[in-house]
Amino acid sequence: MARIAIVTGGTRGIGEAISLALQESGMTVAATFAGNEARAAEFSKRTGIKAYRWDVADYDACQAGCARVAEELGPVDVVVNNAGITRDGTILKMDYQAWREVIDTNLGGCFNMAKAVFPGMRTRKWGRIVNIGSINGQAGQYGQVNYAAAKSGIHGFTKALAQEGAKFGVTVNAIAPGYIDTDMVAAVPGDVLEKIVARIPVGRLGAAAEIARGVVFLCGEDAGFVTGSTLSINGGQHMY
């Protein structure tokens, strides 16, 4: 029987690549999205992956959403916490709402989703949770105190939860992507993007599929001895 996986923010960008890679590996995938109905509908039609709409920052919505996926597809074996937002600005310009929204979505979403699925994984003695961090959570980034704090928190969250799941067959790991060729990065002004690429030793942006391959490994049957780890996929830009 196929494993059931949920990928948050799974209908576009890195999330879409992860959803497709897990599907190709033989899993039944549910992809969540926050608001773009048209994009989600196109994604589902093209891929056959069912899309579910809920806000990962909403605790009750995560409980209800995961329960719905379990009812429609089966018990959830894998969760990839990929959903994230940015509200960039220096601390002098950043208001509390911009801080709170990023913390609640990027870090709080990991808690909300894990809270919904971890008990079942523990009972069934098998589970995979992969949290998508960031190079900017490891190295920091000017104008991103909210985003860097949330992503850094993900790495600590991962190590702590891994200790709770280890003896029950539930592994918890993180991936810290560097700069990836997605719509978000494409929106960066060309001159700024050139400077970013110049700091990457391999000399290019990463591909979303390269992040997805790391996720597939960590979610696999043969990755049971890997837990509490952070896999940095950043072209050598930050060696942590």
Side-chain angles (χ1 to χ4, degrees):
M1 184 176 177
R3 298 288 189 188
I4 309 301
I6 296 177
V7 181
T8 68
T11 65
R12 57 188 297 183
I14 292 174
E16 177 178 349
I18 293 169
S19 294
L20 291 172
L22 290 176
Q23 180 189 54
E24 187 176 340
S25 77
M27 294 188 185
T28 299
V29 179
T32 81
F33 67 101
N36 194 331
E37 291 275 5
R39 176 64 180 262
E42 184 279 328
F43 166 83
S44 291
K45 182 178 180 180
R46 173 167 46 86
T47 65
I49 295 173
K50 192 165 185 179
Y52 295 79
R53 183 176 183 175
W54 75 76
D55 180 1
V56 297
D58 184 330
Y59 177 87
D60 292 333
C62 289
Q63 291 285 327
C66 290
R68 182 183 168 198
V69 171
E71 181 180 350
E72 295 180 2
L73 303 181
V76 178
D77 302 298
V78 172
V79 164
V80 182
N81 286 310
N82 167 75
I85 61 172
T86 56
R87 299 286 187 270
D88 293 351
T90 62
I91 199 165
L92 293 178
K93 296 179 180 179
M94 185 179 295
D95 60 24
Y96 182 73
Q97 183 177 358
W99 167 266
R100 190 75 261 167
E101 286 177 356
V102 170
I103 296 295
D104 287 350
T105 299
N106 297 10
L107 180 57
C110 291
F111 171 83
N112 294 340
M113 289 297 296
K115 186 71 173 176
V117 302
F118 189 81
M121 292 177 175
R122 187 178 186 270
T123 297
R124 294 188 300 274
K125 300 291 192 294
W126 200 95
R128 300 285 187 265
I129 297 174
V130 178
N131 304 311
I132 305 301
S134 171
I135 187 175
N136 292 345
Q138 297 173 317
Q141 178 61 44
Y142 182 90
Q144 284 195 327
V145 292
N146 50 3
Y147 185 85
K151 292 298 189 177
S152 181
I154 283 174
H155 299 304
F157 175 87
T158 296
K159 293 178 185 299
L161 187 59
Q163 295 180 49
E164 296 185 30
K167 66 181 178 180
F168 299 101
V170 181
T171 68
V172 188
N173 293 287
I175 288 182
Y179 286 87
I180 307 301
D181 189 9
T182 62
D183 291 344
M184 183 183 296
V185 173
V188 174
D191 58 332
V192 176
L193 192 56
E194 285 181 11
K195 293 177 181 177
I196 290 172
V197 173
R199 296 198 303 269
I200 302 174
V202 301
R204 64 172 176 86
L205 297 174
E210 292 176 301
I211 306 303
R213 285 194 288 272
V215 173
V216 170
F217 165 68
L218 292 174
C219 293
E221 301 289 340
D222 56 355
F225 202 59
V226 183
T227 195
S229 294
T230 294
L231 174 59
S232 295
I233 305 178
N234 60 34
Q237 185 176 357
H238 181 67
M239 301 183 188
Y240 180 74

